[in-house]
Short mmCIF file of all heavy atoms in Angstrom, two decimals:
data_model
loop_
_atom_site.label_atom_id
_atom_site.label_comp_id
_atom_site.label_asym_id
_atom_site.label_seq_id
_atom_site.Cartn_x
_atom_site.Cartn_y
_atom_site.Cartn_z
N VAL I 140 19.40 -1.22 12.99
CA VAL I 140 18.44 -0.12 12.66
C VAL I 140 17.04 -0.52 13.11
O VAL I 140 16.33 0.25 13.77
CB VAL I 140 18.43 0.17 11.16
CG1 VAL I 140 17.42 1.25 10.83
CG2 VAL I 140 19.81 0.61 10.66
N ALA I 141 16.66 -1.75 12.78
CA ALA I 141 15.33 -2.25 13.14
C ALA I 141 15.17 -2.28 14.65
O ALA I 141 14.13 -1.90 15.20
CB ALA I 141 15.11 -3.62 12.53
N LYS I 142 16.22 -2.71 15.37
CA LYS I 142 16.14 -2.82 16.80
C LYS I 142 15.86 -1.48 17.44
O LYS I 142 15.04 -1.38 18.33
CB LYS I 142 17.52 -3.36 17.30
CG LYS I 142 17.47 -4.04 18.62
CD LYS I 142 18.72 -4.91 18.79
CE LYS I 142 19.65 -4.33 19.85
NZ LYS I 142 20.82 -5.19 20.04
N LYS I 143 16.51 -0.47 16.89
CA LYS I 143 16.29 0.90 17.41
C LYS I 143 14.82 1.34 17.19
O LYS I 143 14.20 1.87 18.09
CB LYS I 143 17.24 1.90 16.74
CG LYS I 143 18.42 2.26 17.58
CD LYS I 143 19.26 3.32 16.90
CE LYS I 143 19.85 2.80 15.61
NZ LYS I 143 20.57 3.79 14.83
N GLU I 144 14.38 1.12 15.98
CA GLU I 144 13.02 1.59 15.66
C GLU I 144 11.95 0.76 16.37
O GLU I 144 10.86 1.24 16.64
CB GLU I 144 12.77 1.56 14.13
CG GLU I 144 13.76 2.39 13.32
CD GLU I 144 13.68 3.88 13.56
OE1 GLU I 144 12.97 4.31 14.50
OE2 GLU I 144 14.36 4.65 12.82
N ASN I 145 12.30 -0.51 16.67
CA ASN I 145 11.33 -1.38 17.36
C ASN I 145 11.30 -1.16 18.85
O ASN I 145 10.31 -1.50 19.50
CB ASN I 145 11.68 -2.86 17.11
CG ASN I 145 11.46 -3.28 15.66
OD1 ASN I 145 10.66 -2.65 14.94
ND2 ASN I 145 12.09 -4.31 15.22
N SER I 146 12.39 -0.66 19.43
CA SER I 146 12.57 -0.66 20.87
C SER I 146 11.50 0.18 21.60
O SER I 146 11.26 0.04 22.75
CB SER I 146 13.94 -0.14 21.27
OG SER I 146 14.04 1.22 20.87
N VAL I 147 10.80 1.01 20.80
CA VAL I 147 9.76 1.84 21.37
C VAL I 147 8.70 1.00 22.09
O VAL I 147 8.04 1.43 23.02
CB VAL I 147 9.13 2.74 20.32
CG1 VAL I 147 8.60 1.91 19.13
CG2 VAL I 147 7.96 3.53 20.85
N ILE I 148 8.49 -0.25 21.69
CA ILE I 148 7.43 -1.03 22.32
C ILE I 148 7.65 -1.25 23.79
O ILE I 148 6.75 -1.50 24.53
CB ILE I 148 7.16 -2.42 21.59
CG1 ILE I 148 8.31 -3.38 21.82
CG2 ILE I 148 6.85 -2.19 20.12
CD1 ILE I 148 7.95 -4.83 21.37
N PHE I 149 8.93 -1.08 24.24
CA PHE I 149 9.18 -1.22 25.67
C PHE I 149 8.48 -0.16 26.50
O PHE I 149 8.23 -0.33 27.65
CB PHE I 149 10.69 -1.20 25.94
CG PHE I 149 11.40 -2.42 25.47
CD1 PHE I 149 12.59 -2.32 24.74
CD2 PHE I 149 10.91 -3.69 25.76
CE1 PHE I 149 13.24 -3.46 24.32
CE2 PHE I 149 11.55 -4.83 25.31
CZ PHE I 149 12.72 -4.72 24.59
N ILE I 150 8.20 0.99 25.90
CA ILE I 150 7.48 2.00 26.63
C ILE I 150 5.99 1.98 26.35
O ILE I 150 5.25 2.82 26.81
CB ILE I 150 8.07 3.45 26.43
CG1 ILE I 150 8.04 3.83 24.98
CG2 ILE I 150 9.46 3.54 27.01
CD1 ILE I 150 8.46 5.30 24.75
N GLU I 151 5.54 1.02 25.57
CA GLU I 151 4.10 0.84 25.36
C GLU I 151 3.55 -0.04 26.50
O GLU I 151 4.27 -0.95 26.98
CB GLU I 151 3.80 0.19 24.03
CG GLU I 151 4.11 1.02 22.85
CD GLU I 151 3.82 0.34 21.52
OE1 GLU I 151 3.18 -0.73 21.54
OE2 GLU I 151 4.17 0.90 20.50
N ASP I 152 2.31 0.16 26.89
CA ASP I 152 1.70 -0.71 27.88
C ASP I 152 1.30 -2.03 27.20
O ASP I 152 0.98 -2.04 26.05
CB ASP I 152 0.43 -0.08 28.46
CG ASP I 152 0.75 1.32 29.04
OD1 ASP I 152 1.84 1.48 29.57
OD2 ASP I 152 -0.14 2.19 28.88
N ASN I 153 1.38 -3.11 27.94
CA ASN I 153 0.95 -4.41 27.45
C ASN I 153 1.64 -4.88 26.18
O ASN I 153 1.06 -5.53 25.37
CB ASN I 153 -0.56 -4.44 27.16
CG ASN I 153 -1.38 -4.10 28.41
OD1 ASN I 153 -0.98 -4.49 29.50
ND2 ASN I 153 -2.46 -3.41 28.21
N TYR I 154 2.90 -4.50 26.03
CA TYR I 154 3.51 -4.83 24.75
C TYR I 154 3.64 -6.33 24.49
O TYR I 154 3.56 -6.79 23.37
CB TYR I 154 4.83 -4.09 24.53
CG TYR I 154 6.02 -4.74 25.21
CD1 TYR I 154 6.75 -5.74 24.58
CD2 TYR I 154 6.41 -4.31 26.48
CE1 TYR I 154 7.82 -6.31 25.19
CE2 TYR I 154 7.51 -4.91 27.08
CZ TYR I 154 8.23 -5.90 26.46
OH TYR I 154 9.30 -6.48 27.07
N LEU I 155 3.83 -7.08 25.60
CA LEU I 155 3.98 -8.54 25.41
C LEU I 155 2.72 -9.18 24.82
O LEU I 155 2.79 -10.03 23.96
CB LEU I 155 4.33 -9.23 26.71
CG LEU I 155 5.83 -9.18 27.07
CD1 LEU I 155 6.09 -9.77 28.44
CD2 LEU I 155 6.65 -9.92 26.00
N GLN I 156 1.57 -8.69 25.26
CA GLN I 156 0.31 -9.18 24.73
C GLN I 156 0.12 -8.68 23.29
O GLN I 156 -0.25 -9.42 22.41
CB GLN I 156 -0.87 -8.72 25.57
CG GLN I 156 -1.11 -9.57 26.77
CD GLN I 156 -1.52 -8.67 27.92
OE1 GLN I 156 -0.75 -7.98 28.53
NE2 GLN I 156 -2.85 -8.72 28.26
N ASN I 157 0.35 -7.39 23.09
CA ASN I 157 0.07 -6.79 21.80
C ASN I 157 0.90 -7.40 20.68
O ASN I 157 0.45 -7.52 19.56
CB ASN I 157 0.33 -5.29 21.83
CG ASN I 157 -0.76 -4.55 22.56
OD1 ASN I 157 -1.80 -5.09 22.78
ND2 ASN I 157 -0.47 -3.32 22.92
N TYR I 158 2.14 -7.78 21.00
CA TYR I 158 3.04 -8.21 19.95
C TYR I 158 3.40 -9.68 20.07
O TYR I 158 4.43 -10.11 19.66
CB TYR I 158 4.29 -7.32 19.91
CG TYR I 158 3.95 -5.86 19.72
CD1 TYR I 158 3.97 -4.99 20.78
CD2 TYR I 158 3.57 -5.42 18.46
CE1 TYR I 158 3.61 -3.64 20.59
CE2 TYR I 158 3.23 -4.09 18.26
CZ TYR I 158 3.24 -3.22 19.32
OH TYR I 158 2.88 -1.90 19.13
N ASP I 159 2.51 -10.47 20.68
CA ASP I 159 2.69 -11.90 20.82
C ASP I 159 4.05 -12.29 21.40
O ASP I 159 4.76 -13.14 20.84
CB ASP I 159 2.51 -12.62 19.47
CG ASP I 159 1.33 -12.09 18.66
OD1 ASP I 159 0.29 -11.93 19.30
OD2 ASP I 159 1.49 -11.81 17.45
N GLY I 160 4.48 -11.57 22.43
CA GLY I 160 5.74 -11.93 23.08
C GLY I 160 6.95 -11.54 22.31
O GLY I 160 8.02 -12.08 22.52
N PHE I 161 6.82 -10.66 21.35
CA PHE I 161 7.95 -10.26 20.51
C PHE I 161 9.03 -9.59 21.34
O PHE I 161 8.78 -8.75 22.20
CB PHE I 161 7.47 -9.28 19.46
CG PHE I 161 8.57 -8.71 18.63
CD1 PHE I 161 9.15 -9.47 17.61
CD2 PHE I 161 9.08 -7.44 18.87
CE1 PHE I 161 10.19 -8.96 16.86
CE2 PHE I 161 10.10 -6.93 18.15
CZ PHE I 161 10.67 -7.68 17.12
N ASP I 162 10.28 -9.97 21.08
CA ASP I 162 11.42 -9.37 21.77
C ASP I 162 12.33 -8.71 20.72
O ASP I 162 12.99 -9.41 19.97
CB ASP I 162 12.17 -10.44 22.54
CG ASP I 162 13.44 -9.91 23.17
OD1 ASP I 162 13.69 -8.67 23.12
OD2 ASP I 162 14.22 -10.72 23.71
N PRO I 163 12.38 -7.38 20.72
CA PRO I 163 13.14 -6.67 19.69
C PRO I 163 14.65 -7.03 19.71
O PRO I 163 15.32 -6.83 18.74
CB PRO I 163 12.96 -5.20 20.06
CG PRO I 163 11.84 -5.14 20.98
CD PRO I 163 11.75 -6.46 21.66
N ASN I 164 15.12 -7.54 20.88
CA ASN I 164 16.54 -7.81 20.97
C ASN I 164 16.94 -9.17 20.42
O ASN I 164 18.10 -9.52 20.38
CB ASN I 164 17.02 -7.66 22.42
CG ASN I 164 16.90 -6.24 22.88
OD1 ASN I 164 17.15 -5.31 22.13
ND2 ASN I 164 16.47 -6.04 24.12
N SER I 165 15.90 -9.98 20.05
CA SER I 165 16.21 -11.33 19.58
C SER I 165 16.04 -11.41 18.06
O SER I 165 15.00 -11.05 17.53
CB SER I 165 15.28 -12.32 20.30
OG SER I 165 14.78 -13.25 19.37
N LEU I 166 17.08 -11.93 17.43
CA LEU I 166 17.04 -12.04 15.96
C LEU I 166 15.96 -13.02 15.52
O LEU I 166 15.27 -12.82 14.53
CB LEU I 166 18.43 -12.46 15.45
CG LEU I 166 18.62 -12.35 13.93
CD1 LEU I 166 18.43 -10.93 13.42
CD2 LEU I 166 20.00 -12.83 13.54
N GLU I 167 15.76 -14.10 16.31
CA GLU I 167 14.73 -15.09 15.99
C GLU I 167 13.34 -14.45 15.97
O GLU I 167 12.54 -14.69 15.10
CB GLU I 167 14.71 -16.26 17.00
CG GLU I 167 15.85 -17.22 16.89
CD GLU I 167 17.17 -16.62 17.40
OE1 GLU I 167 17.11 -15.83 18.35
OE2 GLU I 167 18.23 -16.93 16.81
#
Side-chain angles (χ1 to χ4, degrees):
V140 179
K142 203 160 110 179
K143 259 185 296 176
E144 303 295 9
N145 290 337
S146 66
V147 55
I148 68 168
F149 289 133
I150 58 174
E151 291 181 9
D152 304 326
N153 301 325
Y154 80 86
L155 275 175
Q156 277 142 286
N157 285 346
Y158 302 103
D159 316 316
F161 174 80
D162 175 6
N164 294 322
S165 136
L166 191 59
E167 286 73 34

